[in-house]
Amino acid sequence: MTNRPESTGLKRVLQVALMATSATLAMGLALSLFVSGPAAPVAEALLWLGLGMLVTIPVLNVIDVVIIECRLKEWPFAAAGVAVLVLLAYTVAIKVWR
Amino acid sequence: MIVLFTFLAGIGAGSLGALLGLGGGIFLVPILNIALDVPLPQAMAVSLITVIATSNFVSLASAGQKSANVRLAILLQLVSAIGAIGGTYMLDYMSLRTRERVFGATALVVAVVILSRLNQRNVLQGHVDDVGFLGGWFQDHDTGELVAYRLKRVPVAVGVAAGAGVISTLAGVGGGVLVVPALNSWCGVPMRVAAATSAVIIGVTAIPGVVDNFARGHLTSPMLAAGGVLGVLVGSRAGFWIGAKVKVRSLKILLAVVLAVVASQYLWFK
């Protein structure tokens, strides 16, 4: 069976993180649209922070799957999850840091 | 003003995306590019960010968690991520027009395949204990019962996921546009499971494209991206609510029509 009830509790954290992401983006957008002057860099920082959080959530979702599969000793699926994480890390390293 | 329009476009794209498990990027790119005159590379960058937003919303919602086949998703994420990374290198050598034509033709073929198999439900009748490799059970909204399904033609699913990864990066869309119909029509996965599983996959698939766009300087307006993301998050909630009340057959017809419209956009109207 593949639709499993197991959970690490990380899912709940990710749901909260998604709400926090929305709040951060909404705050950054509101500041950008309605506030000028010294607050402008803060607004832009909030927007980039929100976008960064958004991109991080799928990665944490994969980590959640890896933890569950390790607990179940389903090593092929755990390895697939780790491979996904390695590929994403490779992309960031090659494209951004190079 | 453009941020407000992007927000509204995000609502539309997010609701359709959540409804169909597509990510919504296929709707957002033409709206941003044609209607709002955003340069295509920037429109694709914003679209890929919103694809991640849709994926997050659907995969973390309780209905999405119940329907998604997590193990199938993780295996297909692996190949689609490889495809997406390959796509970032192909971007250096392919013209934009070639990419649009390839995508348009693919979307058209898939729309025809779906329409030709409208009545296929892909569920096993009676009590089933063995669902085979990567099969599963899910709550069927049409009957209210727990039904089983078996995964067929795994190599097809793997090949399509890899192709979806490439298309995701090249066209700035989620890749669900290929994964959902392929899982449903060729691999024996019920529509609702295919859509939820695809939603889990596309979030990871979009990341290489987003990182590449950021590195190339195409993700220059965080305000535009934020407007799109917030719109998509609102729209995803609406799409999920609607999705629970729509019959599978209607969902398939809607998906085919959407694909045909998208195909015509890429083939003839750009």
Side-chain angles (χ1 to χ4, degrees):
Chain A
M1 181 170 176
T2 55
N3 303 92
R4 302 143 307 145
E6 292 85 358
S7 174
T8 60
L10 191 58
K11 276 282 189 296
R12 184 73 199 134
V13 174
L14 291 178
Q15 286 168 340
V16 174
L18 185 58
M19 285 189 274
T21 300
S22 307
T24 306
L25 287 173
M27 204 184 302
L29 200 56
L31 280 174
S32 300
L33 290 172
F34 304 116
V35 180
S36 57
V42 177
E44 187 162 340
L46 279 175
L47 289 173
W48 283 119
L49 175 67
L51 294 175
M53 288 163 70
L54 189 79
V55 174
T56 307
I57 289 174
V59 179
L60 295 174
N61 214 354
V62 176
I63 291 173
D64 183 53
V65 172
V66 170
I67 293 170
I68 291 170
E69 296 299 348
C70 285
R71 281 184 185 170
L72 294 172
K73 295 186 170 54
E74 292 284 355
W75 306 118
F77 295 105
V82 170
V84 170
L85 294 172
V86 169
L87 283 172
L88 296 180
Y90 165 82
T91 306
V92 173
I94 291 294
K95 299 289 178 182
V96 178
W97 287 340
R98 192 172 64 175
Chain B
M1 189 56 82
I2 195 171
V3 175
L4 176 65
F5 282 127
T6 305
F7 175 74
L8 295 174
I11 292 177
S15 55
L16 284 170
L19 198 59
L20 303 172
L22 299 182
I26 49 169
F27 315 106
L28 199 57
V29 170
I31 293 173
L32 288 178
N33 182 229
I34 298 168
L36 301 179
D37 209 23
V38 175
L40 195 61
Q42 285 184 30
M44 288 177 168
V46 170
S47 165
L48 277 175
I49 283 274
T50 64
V51 165
I52 296 177
T54 306
S55 168
N56 289 345
F57 180 82
V58 177
S59 57
L60 293 175
S62 64
Q65 287 184 46
K66 285 175 191 163
S67 301
N69 184 329
V70 178
R71 286 184 176 163
L72 177 60
I74 201 78
L75 290 181
L76 297 186
Q77 274 177 346
L78 179 57
V79 287
S80 71
I82 292 170
I85 292 168
T88 64
Y89 291 105
M90 290 165 73
L91 274 175
D92 294 332
Y93 304 102
M94 283 179 74
S95 75
L96 195 57
R97 189 70 196 113
T98 305
R99 280 153 38 198
E100 287 168 355
R101 284 180 176 150
V102 168
F103 180 80
T106 309
L108 200 59
V109 168
V110 174
V112 171
V113 169
I114 291 173
L115 284 177
S116 69
R117 306 184 68 164
L118 268 184
N119 294 317
Q120 184 159 341
R121 295 187 68 243
N122 294 335
V123 297
L124 305 174
Q125 301 300 323
H127 179 75
V128 179
D129 284 326
D130 178 23
V131 291
F133 179 63
L134 292 175
W137 290 264
F138 80 109
Q139 192 81 32
D140 188 356
H141 285 267
D142 293 350
T143 62
E145 293 173 359
L146 193 67
V147 292
Y149 61 93
R150 285 199 183 103
L151 182 70
K152 297 183 284 190
R153 304 184 188 96
V154 178
V156 173
V158 169
V160 170
V166 176
I167 293 290
S168 172
T169 303
L170 296 185
V173 300
V177 73
L178 296 176
V179 172
V180 174
L183 287 180
N184 181 244
S185 294
W186 297 322
C187 303
V189 180
M191 185 65 177
R192 230 170 271 279
V193 178
T197 304
S198 167
V200 176
I201 296 167
I202 60 177
V204 166
T205 308
I207 291 177
V210 167
V211 172
D212 186 64
N213 276 304
F214 181 77
R216 288 173 192 265
H218 295 156
L219 200 58
T220 50
S221 173
M223 279 178 71
L224 208 60
V229 165
L230 291 172
V232 158
L233 288 173
V234 172
S236 295
R237 190 171 289 275
F240 228 56
W241 182 79
I242 297 165
K245 301 176 188 315
V246 176
K247 296 284 183 188
V248 171
R249 187 183 164 87
S250 314
L251 210 56
K252 282 187 172 184
I253 293 172
L254 183 60
L255 176 56
V257 171
V258 167
L259 283 174
V261 171
V262 168
S264 66
Q265 282 285 333
Y266 278 88
L267 288 171
W268 298 296
F269 296 116
K270 287 188 67 68

